[in-house]
Amino acid sequence: MRGLLPVLVLDESFGILRREILQSEVINGMREVHSEELQSSLDQDNAESELLLHFLISLEEQKHKDAHKLVEEIRCLESDIEEVERRHNLRKSLVPSNLQNGSSCQKDIVSLNEKPSSSETLPPMSTISNANELRLTKNICQLESAYISMRSKIKLPETVPATHPDKDILKNRENWCMAQKDTEQHKTTDTLGAFFDGLCKYARYSKFEVRGVLRNADFNNPANVICSLSFDRDGDYFAAAGISKKIKVFEFNALLNDSVDIHYPVIEMSNRSKLSCVCWNNYIKNYLASTDYDGVVKLWDASTGQGFSQFTEHEKRAWSVDFSPVCPTKFASGSDDCSVKLWSISERNSLGTIRNVANVCCVHFSAHSSHLLAFGSADYSTYCYDLRNLRSPWCVLAGHRKAVSYVKFLDSETLVSASTDNTLKIWDLNKTSPVGPSTSACSLTLSGHTNEKNFVGLSASDGYIACGSETNEVYAYYRSLPMPVTSHKFGSIDPISGKETDDDNDGLRESSPFMTALLFVEPCSFKYPCHSGQSHPLIPSILLTI
């Protein structure tokens, strides 16, 4: 029986059909891939086009806003120019004709208020010196910023933050016992006049002039760094204290006598530890207070040269002490033990303690309130306390990026703080809040000096603010302008001749001298800065450096 074999017949039509099917699948797949790539490319092109369109539209809108802002600023400038000319012509009409041609009255500088002031006058454009014109041109951007900021307060009063609910403390003078009148002037609501006053104060001084040098061999020794200066009540004497463990009292007028080869202290008081701060009582002429590295707060009688009371409640180094100008028997101290102690001349124990979250670097009483105290802290903040409530701060001023080394009241409603972040900040206490940090209360930041690690001093008078710099310079600012009015760089003191020599270093070497304290003296507006290991007095009005 034969086997059956399969017979295979080639059907060409089947092969063709199969090939067509395969080709169509490949083509369709390629078409799908191409379609997806094309769609992706179109989507990307659309996205890029939309991005470009969005950018152009946004830029157009921004330029329209800038143009509108520029038109508004020009309108404000034109309006203010007309107002300044009107006020100027009004004042000229009040001056007798026989005095209008006098150059002396034309060169005075005066406030832009509706009523003519006895202290200042608007200078004609022709009297502007080339030096002032150059200074204005150099700082035109910062001056413009200050002017625009001032102008915005006129146009947008509704944007001003809510004021502190307890503002009465700012001018509460219970138990007022100072034998002096309140010299604080009423704050004007004329912001244009306020800006003009600031501009005039900026133009009034252009440099510091050295008027005397305190020559004392001990101060030329780098080991005898002076940390603090303080004038007595009448400005006749000043005390200098530092790491030499001594408080030296000098006669101020002797400082201006160039014929004196060596200035000897009128009296010298020795302490057991290095001194960090000294403060003269502004009512009891012969009383001083000091703080030292052991945390001791001590009272001294300058007439006898002896300490008569000391307080040892601080557990670590005490940095600062300050007498209350309103209640001169009361004083306060701040320490590394994170506390502020309140004291009385007539009590052996503290009257109260403020507990802080960080080291306390400085303390300062308001001269316009019996109950308001401010202090600077290592946690980058400034604290204001109502002394009738020590459990929580009246406000917290936050905005510095490093420790707050100094605080000073400029007036009853304004405070200036210094920090090792290279800045000073002006604070409006009316815009503070009793709850949380008052970041919006900062009205202006002043910069130009260098201060990154040391206590370099801070003082203020009549709106002017002076601070030291780690570049061996002293800087002067005015409260309404962000840039320095002027500065002065010191040289080194020759240890043999006692004369100042040029010093080209940048003040950043470890051995470089730097400012450590400065002070305005009232009512003469004399100002003194103090050097690390050196001594120079300046007068702008007058500056002392030690």
Side-chain angles (χ1 to χ4, degrees):
M1 183 176 181
R2 292 183 177 181
L4 297 177
L5 295 174
V7 178
L8 300 177
V9 178
L10 179 61
D11 189 340
E12 292 183 0
S13 63
F14 176 77
I16 294 173
L17 178 61
R18 185 179 179 185
R19 185 166 58 251
E20 289 176 352
I21 293 172
L22 292 174
Q23 288 177 348
S24 65
E25 290 178 351
V26 172
I27 292 172
N28 289 336
M30 291 177 64
R31 286 177 178 174
E32 289 178 0
V33 172
H34 179 69
S35 176
E36 291 176 358
E37 292 178 350
L38 181 61
Q39 185 64 41
S40 176
S41 178
L42 290 174
D43 291 343
Q44 184 176 354
D45 290 343
N46 289 336
E48 292 174 351
S49 297
E50 289 177 1
L51 179 62
L52 177 60
L53 181 62
H54 176 72
F55 166 74
L56 294 174
I57 293 174
S58 300
L59 183 60
E60 181 186 33
E61 292 176 351
Q62 184 61 46
K63 291 301 180 183
H64 280 303
K65 291 180 181 179
D66 292 343
H68 177 72
K69 181 180 178 181
L70 183 60
V71 170
E72 283 293 308
E73 290 176 356
I74 292 175
R75 183 187 64 78
C76 291
L77 285 167
E78 292 173 344
S79 173
D80 289 344
I81 289 171
E82 292 179 0
E83 178 65 12
V84 171
E85 290 176 341
R86 183 188 70 80
R87 298 183 186 189
H88 184 41
N89 292 332
L90 176 62
R91 274 192 300 276
K92 286 180 64 177
S93 67
L94 298 176
V95 178
S97 58
N98 61 328
L99 296 178
Q100 288 189 11
N101 295 328
S103 59
S104 60
C105 65
Q106 289 183 353
K107 293 183 180 180
D108 292 336
I109 299 177
V110 175
S111 172
L112 250 182
N113 294 320
E114 287 291 336
K115 296 181 180 180
S117 169
S118 60
S119 60
E120 302 173 333
T121 58
L122 175 68
M125 293 300 293
S126 60
T127 66
I128 296 179
S129 66
N130 290 335
N132 273 337
E133 186 175 355
L134 289 174
R135 292 175 69 209
L136 294 178
T137 302
K138 179 181 177 181
N139 295 287
I140 190 67
C141 292
Q142 291 172 302
L143 289 170
E144 176 189 357
S145 176
Y147 169 77
I148 297 301
S149 175
M150 174 277 300
R151 216 42 176 86
S152 67
K153 296 176 183 178
I154 301 177
K155 296 190 300 177
L156 301 172
E158 68 276 6
T159 62
V160 177
T163 59
H164 198 288
D166 181 22
K167 294 196 301 180
D168 292 341
I169 187 179
L170 298 178
K171 294 184 179 180
N172 187 321
R173 286 185 167 188
E174 296 177 3
N175 303 318
W176 171 247
C177 55
M178 287 294 293
Q180 64 182 34
K181 62 181 180 179
D182 185 358
T183 58
E184 185 185 25
Q185 298 179 353
H186 176 69
K187 281 193 173 182
T188 176
T189 57
D190 177 14
T191 51
L192 177 59
F195 176 77
F196 179 76
D197 287 343
L199 189 63
C200 289
K201 292 292 181 64
Y202 173 79
R204 181 171 297 168
Y205 300 116
S206 60
K207 65 178 181 178
F208 287 116
E209 180 182 353
V210 176
R211 296 292 297 274
V213 176
L214 179 62
R215 299 177 177 88
N216 186 283
D218 289 345
F219 292 162
N220 293 330
N221 184 347
N224 293 331
V225 175
I226 297 301
C227 302
S228 181
L229 292 170
S230 184
F231 275 94
D232 75 335
R233 181 191 65 192
D234 302 322
D236 297 327
Y237 301 92
F238 65 91
I243 63 175
S244 66
K245 305 179 183 180
K246 295 178 180 180
I247 300 174
K248 296 185 178 185
V249 177
F250 294 89
E251 185 180 0
F252 173 69
N253 286 333
L255 188 67
L256 307 180
N257 188 350
D258 292 335
S259 63
V260 177
D261 293 328
I262 298 178
H263 295 96
Y264 294 98
V266 176
I267 198 164
E268 188 172 292
M269 296 170 280
S270 297
N271 192 54
R272 292 183 179 181
S273 178
K274 297 176 182 178
L275 292 155
S276 55
C277 185
V278 62
C279 181
W280 217 307
N281 191 294
N282 61 337
Y283 184 73
I284 308 173
K285 184 176 175 66
N286 55 314
Y287 278 16
L288 296 93
S290 68
T291 51
D292 66 27
Y293 280 37
D294 289 337
V296 176
V297 182
K298 195 168 184 177
L299 292 175
W300 304 82
D301 187 337
S303 63
T304 64
Q306 300 297 318
F308 64 89
S309 186
Q310 69 176 24
F311 310 88
T312 58
E313 293 184 22
H314 282 302
E315 299 173 359
K316 294 183 180 180
R317 172 168 47 186
W319 280 113
S320 178
V321 63
D322 189 45
F323 278 105
S324 169
V326 181
C327 302
T329 60
K330 182 189 299 182
F331 59 105
S333 59
S335 167
D336 273 343
D337 64 7
C338 305
S339 74
V340 173
K341 296 282 185 179
L342 304 175
W343 312 93
S344 172
I345 291 175
S346 58
E347 301 288 339
R348 296 190 61 85
N349 298 319
S350 63
L351 303 178
T353 301
I354 299 173
R355 300 293 179 185
N356 192 43
V357 296
N359 304 42
V360 177
C361 303
C362 56
V363 294
H364 189 61
F365 279 99
S366 169
H368 308 276
S369 172
S370 305
H371 309 297
L372 190 58
L373 174 75
F375 64 85
S377 174
D379 68 349
Y380 312 171
S381 298
T382 299
Y383 294 83
C384 293
Y385 268 80
D386 181 343
L387 299 183
R388 295 166 296 184
N389 177 21
L390 303 184
R391 291 175 297 178
S392 60
W394 185 79
C395 73
V396 180
L397 306 174
H400 281 296
R401 292 175 285 106
K402 287 188 178 181
V404 177
S405 49
Y406 298 95
V407 292
K408 300 288 182 183
F409 284 92
L410 299 181
D411 55 45
S412 63
E413 302 171 355
T414 313
L415 184 143
V416 60
S417 60
S419 169
T420 50
D421 63 3
N422 298 311
T423 69
L424 310 178
K425 287 186 180 292
I426 308 295
W427 305 91
D428 185 346
L429 298 181
N430 283 313
K431 298 179 181 178
T432 58
S433 169
V435 180
S438 299
T439 55
S440 61
C442 180
S443 58
L444 191 64
T445 298
L446 316 180
S447 61
H449 61 287
T450 300
N451 183 199
E452 297 178 352
K453 60 181 180 179
N454 297 299
F455 284 56
V456 295
L458 179 73
S459 189
S461 179
D462 192 29
Y464 287 102
I465 302 166
C467 70
S469 175
E470 289 164 2
T471 54
N472 203 21
E473 294 174 278
V474 59
Y475 279 77
Y477 296 88
Y478 189 70
R479 58 182 293 170
S480 62
L481 299 175
M483 68 288 187
V485 172
T486 188
S487 63
H488 179 86
K489 186 173 180 63
F490 295 98
S492 299
I493 295 296
D494 186 283
I496 299 176
S497 65
K499 294 183 179 180
E500 184 173 321
T501 60
D502 291 336
D503 184 4
D504 296 329
N505 73 74
D506 57 7
L508 299 179
R509 297 198 306 263
E510 289 297 326
S511 60
S512 299
F514 58 88
M515 300 292 300
T516 56
L518 50 83
L519 185 67
F520 281 101
V521 58
E522 304 292 355
C524 309
S525 294
F526 286 157
K527 182 173 41 179
Y528 279 99
C530 171
H531 258 268
S532 152
Q534 296 191 15
S535 103
H536 305 267
L538 296 170
I539 308 179
S541 312
I542 290 188
L543 262 178
L544 164 78
T545 73
I546 295 181

